[in-house]
């Protein structure tokens, strides 16, 4: 749904490549560019653009697009390895980093038969399996599949927000999914700064279930600490139910809508990647207009 790619800065040295590159990683495309090498990728690209385009107004227009790319499509890869031993050999370093911790693909000026995940910039990239970033997909409605479907997004993020107005801490259909997200953060993200808190946006639903704010918080305190892994806490934000409709997984890098909700069930669930406009709207309001907040620590060892 949303994937991280390594992109050679040298590709931006050719003005003929620019339109294709900016289109390929336009906001909402489902593709993020790793800032590899860390904190230097953007300055290399900026220098290549300035060198390749002599006309000032055109050059400034491309730099403006690069700024837009930086806002929406740059992924900050923490803990990446880079060796200056042989000078600036980007592709060699990118392949080594890919073997250590895979990118979705490596976009370069030409393919490499010894490394199948290298994608050559041009028409052929559209037929490469690792280039595809579908906006919708169906997955089994079980906790492990639901987490894995957005694992690539979580891996490039520093914030995780779950939104489901029907969450019930005493119902295993919901708690299993929450625990699966928490365990993924504990067990898999060894390469990233830890996300130690999941933010969960839901409602206490007094109208239909006759649950008051205090009753809902008490049920969370009763059922969740012993099943959530130690080192992870869940901060609940309770809202009035009519403010919550979509069931979402949000991070600081994008969002995915889960058709039926963040609970297990029979059959499959359809996932849809949020457009930039919808994501910005949801991101701007997830922590607004709540009537209660409280935190549940994980105690399971």
């Amino acid at each position: 749904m949303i994937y991280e790619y390594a992109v050679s800065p040298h590709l931006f040295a050719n003005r003929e490549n620019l339109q294709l590159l900016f289109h390929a990683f336009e906001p909402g495309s489902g593709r993020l560019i790793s800032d590899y090498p860390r904190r230097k990728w953007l300055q290399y690209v900026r220098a290549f653009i300035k060198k390749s385009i002599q006309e000032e107004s055109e050059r400034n227009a491309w730099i403006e697009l690069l700024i837009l790319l930086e806002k929406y499509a740059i992924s900050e890869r923490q803990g990446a390895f880079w060796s200056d031993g042989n000078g600036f050999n980007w592709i060699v370093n990118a392949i080594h980093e890919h073997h250590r911790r895979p990118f979705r693909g490596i976009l370069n000026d030409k393919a490499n038969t010894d490394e199948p995940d290298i994608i050559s910039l041009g028409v052929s990239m559209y037929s490469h399996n690792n280039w595809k970033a579908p906006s919708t997909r169906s997955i089994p409605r079980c906790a492990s599949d639901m987490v894995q479907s957005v694992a690539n997004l979580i891996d490039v993020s520093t914030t995780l927000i779950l939104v489901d107005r029907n969450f019930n801490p005493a119902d295993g259909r919901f708690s299993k999914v929450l625990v699966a997200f928490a365990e993924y953060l504990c067990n898999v993200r060894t390469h990233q700064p830890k996300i130690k808190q999941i933010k969960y946006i839901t409602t206490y639903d007094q109208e239909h279930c006759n649950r008051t704010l205090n009753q809902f918080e008490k049920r969370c305190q009763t059922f969740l600490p012993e099943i959530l892994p130690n080192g992870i806490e869940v901060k609940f934000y309770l809202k009035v139910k009519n403010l919550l409709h979509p069931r979402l997984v949000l991070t600081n890098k994008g969002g995915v809508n889960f058709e039926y909700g963040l609970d297990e069930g029979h059959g499959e669930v359809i996932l849809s990647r949020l457009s930039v406009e919808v994501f910005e709207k949801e991101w701007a309001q997830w922590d607004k207009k709540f009537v209660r907040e409280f935190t549940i620590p994980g105690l399971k060892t």
Side-chain angles (χ1 to χ4, degrees), residues 35-81:
D35 67 338
Y36 183 78
R38 184 79 173 94
R39 295 192 177 92
K40 295 181 179 180
W41 187 89
L42 279 165
Q43 62 185 80
Y44 289 142
V45 169
R46 186 182 294 264
F48 281 131
I49 290 176
K50 289 182 176 180
K51 185 176 181 180
S52 64
I53 299 177
Q54 303 303 315
E55 206 280 312
E56 184 177 5
S57 62
E58 182 185 1
R59 183 172 64 242
N60 290 341
W62 286 115
I63 294 297
E64 286 297 318
L65 283 177
L66 181 61
I67 294 172
L68 186 66
L69 202 69
E70 181 179 5
K71 179 179 180 181
Y72 289 105
I74 299 299
S75 166
E76 298 178 358
R77 173 166 279 232
Q78 306 290 333
F81 290 171

Side-chain angles (χ1 to χ4, degrees), residues 101-115:
R101 179 178 139 220
F103 300 101
R104 173 69 168 179
I106 302 172
L107 193 62
N108 197 33
D109 57 346
K110 57 184 177 180
N112 184 324
T113 55
D114 295 327
E115 183 53 64

Side-chain angles (χ1 to χ4, degrees), residues 127-193:
S127 61
H128 197 290
N129 283 336
N130 287 15
W131 187 250
K132 299 170 184 176
S135 60
T136 62
R137 60 180 296 199
S138 295
I139 61 165
R141 200 176 172 189
C142 66
S144 59
D145 288 281
M146 295 167 75
V147 172
Q148 284 301 315
S149 69
V150 291
N152 289 291
L153 173 60
I154 295 173
D155 284 348
V156 297
S157 302
T158 56
T159 304
L160 176 60
I161 302 164
L162 307 180
V163 183
D164 191 324
R165 64 181 186 173
N166 295 321
F167 178 79
N168 182 348
D171 189 335
R173 296 178 304 153
F174 288 94
S175 61
K176 286 180 183 178
V177 175
L178 173 59
V179 168
F181 275 106
E183 290 179 343
Y184 183 80
L185 296 180
C186 283
N187 299 332
V188 180
R189 290 170 53 86
T190 58
H191 49 269
Q192 289 283 78

Side-chain angles (χ1 to χ4, degrees), residues 280-295:
E280 287 190 330
K281 177 183 176 182
E282 296 295 339
W283 186 257
Q285 67 185 15
W286 70 263
D287 60 345
K288 304 295 190 300
K289 297 182 179 180
F290 59 89
V291 294
R292 174 76 66 90
E293 62 175 308
F294 58 89
T295 301

